[in-house]
Structure formats: structure tokens, C-alpha cells
Amino acid sequence: MSKPDQSEVNTLGFASTTMELQKNFKQVEEIMANFAKSYEHMDLDPFNLMKSSAEWYAALAKDPKKAINANISFLQKSMELYQQSITNLLGGSVAAEPVISEEKGDRRFKHEGWEEQPAFNAIKQSYLLVSKWLRDQVQGVEGLDEHTAEKVEFFTERYLDAMSPTNFAATNPAVIEKVIETKGANLVHGLKNMLEDLETGKGELRIRMTDTSAFELGENVATTPGKVVFQNRMFQLIQYSPATESVLKRPLLVIPPWINKYYIMDLQPKNSLLKWLVDQGHTVFVVSWVNPDSSYADTTFDDYVTQGVIAAVDAVEKATGESDINMIGYCIGGSLLATSLAYMKAKGDQRVKSATFFTTMLDFSNPGELGVFIDEEQICGLEKKMNESGYLDGTQMAGTFNLMRANDLIWSFYINNYLLGNDPRPFDLLYWNSDSTRMPAKMHAWYLRNLYLENNLCKPGGVTIDGVSIDISKVDIPVCFVSAVEDHIAPWESTYSGAKLFSGDVRFILGGSGHIAGIINPPAAGKYNYRVTDQLPEDAEAWAAEAEVVAGSWWPEWDRWVKVLASDQVAARHPGDRGMSIIEEAPGSYVKRTLNDINPIAPATAAEASPVEKATPAAATRAVVTPTAKQDDLTAIKGIGPKLAEVLNNSGINRYSQLAELGSDGIKQHLLGVDERYARYDTTSWPEQARELMSA
């Protein structure tokens, strides 16, 4: 038998490749059909864009000259690009200077095909030209109110982000390369990734940014040694173990935002702000907020002040014996801290001796891009949704923040996971970013209206807490503001305006980068510069021009500032030194409650309430006990190991009676609600084993 010649081999190889492609694309077609059904009942206009677009179109119609000029410019550039593209295609390479180029730092077009291949170069430039034409149409339209104009411009940019040729398999050279390399298998795997994300999001597409299975709280993130020394229904208080023989006499209490979990400040030892503070000799306490469920629907902003911040101050005083403390507030945790300080000032409480605010707005007159999401119609729509569930699902807030940086936080992962068919890589920051929390309905509605919509916090007497009218301008302790020059969530010019509200000494530090990287910037990294002064002129830009520029991280600068205020030291303090009960190891159980954990936390007895709560009627029904208290040993059930027992405990299952009542199918559904990977467990015998253990 003769061997086939090379042409026959090539033909057979091509036929095999073609069949494989057809098979894969048939699978893609089936997956897409199922995917489309998931969007049949979705609200496709949650931001009332139809109304805003109609107002924009009406205003544009009254200014035809603007549209005509934009069209003429677009046609001229299009003809120039057409002529250039024909020349490039005939020559087989891209030789001429481009008609239009992407902005510096635009990473979407980094693949060499966009520059070297004439067809893709023409596609890219066409997209950039259309983008410029549309921007010219929506920017500076007369007759639109400022909010509508900002809204139209913002969502026009998001539309342009979505329509980028990089987001489509047929017009992305990197994807086409992968299709040829894998015979289309990348698209099949990518669409399977999409279906998994869709199922996880219960009909909403929640793109995974990282491999969440690669991280475990207390194991490889949030690992700074410490103990939970206090808790109530609002938070757990973690006291970190000392790393020095002596510590500052004044303890340090950190108030994180409640819309995120505190461990952004404790991701890894190399970039942990909390560990670094401990290493500098501070006795560090951090609030770990509860992840509320529907039982918190009527929880108010007042509760976050009185049962949150004030209760934490009480607990720190009890744990250390010190009535003078330093405090830090991060983002809206800083807004809460400022509110609490004004409340304490009105009540004559002088225990807080200095306050630091990370990326914190107090004057919301210029909230930046977040302002496009704040108006009466949108808040009313949000209130309606929250009233149905009792809370705002944290993924909605996360989606808003991601939308503000859509190319980096949405479309880059869309391309990687779905078009290229890659699985997301482990990344601690993105793991934290995906670990969302909920916001109680009543509190969040109050927060949006009083701070963002009506800007009441910066007005003397504009806000009342627990019946007490507050005024931030009366707070006269030393304060330090730390902001980030590229912050899109809390623009530094707005935080600067808030810093000027205080009547005491104020230091303002402006670091590099954005809302997270500008704060989590350890000295060892050697990144960015910062500006700092103790004088705050009226104009923020004038301040920036005159402020001293210093290389590196601002962390040591802040440490020097706070130690100048009070440098007295005492022997190192350990959690539990003064009789505080050690509830559990850091990072505690509250931070481990995910969006899948919807069981209410059990009420505590009056004896377990904080001093502040004891003074409040019905306080006993508002405190909590640790989820590990009075629980059964679930590992006594064959099939449940220590790891799975912890999963069940953290999701609210800690008694044999609960397993018996749920039954085999109920347990299975509960586990699937936590993580689909738990489908592998055979729960058939667990209820009967639980009943036997109950009667033993």
C-alpha cells in the first residue's frame, strides 16, 4: 500500500479541522439559544436611559449646526481612512500614519494584529472614528440640565465600550488566532463559562474575575493574627496580636465601609495595611461588619452609629483600659466616622483624639461619576426593589462600580473568559472585589438620599442621629485626610472640600493611583508619589500646585503624624488581657458570610449586649451570639468532614435538629445554594444519623 502524498495529508487535515469546527460551532449555537432565554424577563433600562436619551435628542434637534459639523468632520475623516485602507490592503501592510489613534494607555488594542494587519487596522480606526463622532454629538449640547447631560455622556461611553471590535470574536485578531489554534474549542469552553456565570447569578450575567476557589479567609487572605473580642448584631471587633514588645498607649480603631469587607486592608502579609500598622507598634482593632439579610430591613443609619461605631469605641476602651483612642475610616466608613464624631461632640464624648479619613467624601456636591446613578427616579426604583427583599444585593453596587471602569472590570474578563475560553486566574484583590455584601433597605435609602441626593451631612444640623442634631464643623480634633489622585469613586477634589469642614488642625495627603491602590500602597513596593500639607487654601487645584511632592508610599508619613500627636508607650497588649472574652480566631465568622448565607443571626441575651445597647430598650433582641456557640459536632455524621462542617456552620446549619428537619433533599439544596461543587456529597443518610445523635 502506497503512502498518501503531502497534498492528500493536507486535504485530510483540512477536512478534519473543518468537521471539528462545525461540531464546535454547532455546540456554540445550542448554548447561545439557551443563553438568550435567560434575558427574556430582564429589566433592560434600569437607569431610565430612554427618557434621558429622548431629552438629549430633543435638545440636539434645536442645535442642528452642532450635528452638521460633527457629520462633516466624520465624513472627511472616513474618506481619508477609506483611501488609506485601500492603499494598505493593496500593499499588504500598514504603512501610513493613522487617521486616528487610540488614547495612550488604551490596552484593548495591544495585540500586534491591530497595527500590522491592514483589515484589523481599518476596523480599529473605523471604531475610533465612530466613537469620536458620537462623543461630538453628545458633549456640550445646549438646553440639557447638567445631570441629564452627565448621564447621557456617561452611558454613551459605556455603549462605546460595549461596541468595541475587541468584544466580538469575528473582529478580534487574538480571538481568531485562538479559534484556529483550538479549532473553535475556545468558544465552546467560553460559552460554558458564560452559562456557569449566568447560573451563579440566577439569570444575571456575573462575570467571574478570579478563581474564587483558590482563596480561603484566614488561610491565604486575611491572615494577620488576632482574635474576635466583641460582637453584636452589627459587627465583630477584631483585636490583632502585637508584633512589638511595646505599643503606643493610644489604641487604633479602624472603621471600614459596610459595602465591602474589611480585609481589603489585609489581603496578603506583603501588602496588609493592618499588619503594617501592628508592626509599627499600634494596638489595632478593626470592625468587621455583618453581612445583613432581610431581618435587617429596618436597620437604620443611626444603628450603624450607635450600635456600630460607638459600641466599638466602648469595646476598645474596655479591652485596653484607655479612654483616648485614634480612629481611621475608609470610604463611606469615613463618612460614618465623621457622622459619629459629630454625634459624640454633641453628646460631650471626647474619647476620640484623632481621626483619619481614607478616600472619604463628606461634601457630596460633586460626587463624580457616581452622580449619574443618583436622582429621584433611580432612588425610587431602588427603594422599591429593596422593600421587596429587605436589602440591596451587593452585586448591584459592585456592578455599578465595575461599570465605571467597564473596559478593565467587565470587557477584559468577557474577552478572556468567554471569547478566548480561558479560566479566570487567582488574584486576591479580585477575590475580595467579588466577595460582595448586602445593605439594609432602610439604611441604604437614607444614606443615598441624605448624603448623595440632598448633601445634608456637610450642613450644620442637616442630619439628626438618634434624636441629636449634628454639625461636623464643631469637630475640632486633629484630622488627616488621605485621598488618591485617580480616584473615580471619591474624587479627591470632593474629599478636599470635606476636609475643610473641620475646625481643628487638618492635614491633607494626596497619593497616587486610585481608590484601592492609592490606599493599599506598602512602602516596600516603592510605588507612586504623594503630596502633603497642613495648610488648605480654598481652591483644591491651587493646593495641589503648591503642595510638597514626596516619593513613595504615604504610610510612613501618616505614622509620623499620628505619633507626634501622642507617642507614649506601654507594654504590648494581647487580646483578652483585660478579661475580654475571646470569641474566636480572626478573621471571625461575620466576614465569612457570603451572599448565599441568608439565615438570620440568632439573638443574644441581654448579658451579651454592649454597654451602649444595654441602655437601649429591646437591646437584648439586637445583639448576637457567635455562630459557633451551642452548636453540635456535625463531623460526628459520617460523610461530613471538618471542612464541610465549617461550610455548614457558616451558612447557618450548626445543629443536628436542623439537618433532621431539612431532610436529605433539603440539605442537598442548601449545599447547592452555597456552592454547586457540593453536589458531589451523598446526603441520603445524614438526617437519620442526625436523629440518632439527637436521641443519644
Side-chain angles (χ1 to χ4, degrees), residues 81 104 166 172 197 255 258 273 487 536 538 624 641 695:
L81 175 60
K104 185 178 180 181
T166 54
N172 187 325
D197 291 349
I255 308 296
W258 59 85
L273 173 59
D487 194 339
L536 275 64
E538 192 64 32
V624 300
S695 60

Side-chain angles (χ1 to χ4, degrees), residues 137-334:
Q137 300 274 20
V138 301
Q139 292 176 351
V141 176
E142 296 183 2
L144 276 182
D145 67 85
E146 184 178 353
H147 177 70
T148 301
E150 290 176 350
K151 196 172 178 180
V152 169
E153 290 182 24
F154 177 86
F155 284 102
T156 296
E157 289 298 327
R158 302 296 77 79
Y159 169 76
L160 293 173
D161 291 341
M163 297 308 295
S164 170
T166 54
N167 299 336
F168 299 89
T171 54
N172 187 325
V175 176
I176 292 175
E177 275 186 8
K178 196 70 177 285
V179 169
I180 295 171
E181 177 188 334
T182 67
K183 302 180 179 65
N186 61 303
L187 295 180
V188 175
H189 188 69
L191 283 169
K192 287 179 179 177
N193 284 342
M194 180 182 286
L195 281 180
E196 288 179 16
D197 291 349
L198 195 62
E199 189 170 352
T200 300
K202 296 179 174 62
E204 293 183 22
L205 188 61
R206 297 177 184 171
I207 305 175
R208 282 172 295 163
M209 297 181 176
T210 185
D211 178 8
T212 56
S213 65
F215 300 98
E216 185 173 350
L217 290 173
E219 295 294 330
N220 53 4
V221 288
T223 59
T224 300
K227 314 284 186 184
V228 175
V229 296
F230 173 83
Q231 66 181 23
N232 62 15
R233 73 183 292 266
M234 301 299 296
F235 70 96
Q236 286 188 320
L237 184 68
I238 300 170
Q239 179 180 353
Y240 290 101
S241 302
T244 54
E245 292 184 1
S246 60
V247 294
L248 287 173
K249 191 170 186 289
R250 283 187 188 174
L252 175 64
L253 172 59
V254 182
I255 308 296
W258 59 85
I259 64 171
N260 299 113
K261 294 183 177 179
Y262 82 87
Y263 66 91
I264 184 59
M265 295 179 280
D266 189 30
L267 289 174
Q268 304 283 346
K270 65 180 181 180
N271 62 0
S272 171
L273 173 59
L274 297 177
K275 181 182 182 301
W276 187 87
L277 291 170
V278 170
D279 291 343
Q280 308 316 304
H282 295 275
T283 303
V284 179
F285 295 81
V286 67
V287 164
S288 176
W289 295 110
V290 72
N291 196 350
D293 51 33
S294 58
S295 67
Y296 284 76
D298 292 328
T299 298
T300 65
F301 196 85
D302 292 25
D303 294 328
Y304 273 79
V305 172
T306 58
Q307 298 178 43
V309 175
I310 306 301
V313 171
D314 292 341
V316 169
E317 181 177 7
K318 182 178 179 182
T320 63
E322 298 294 336
S323 58
D324 292 357
I325 70 172
N326 298 316
M327 292 189 70
I328 292 175
Y330 195 163
C331 189
I332 61 172

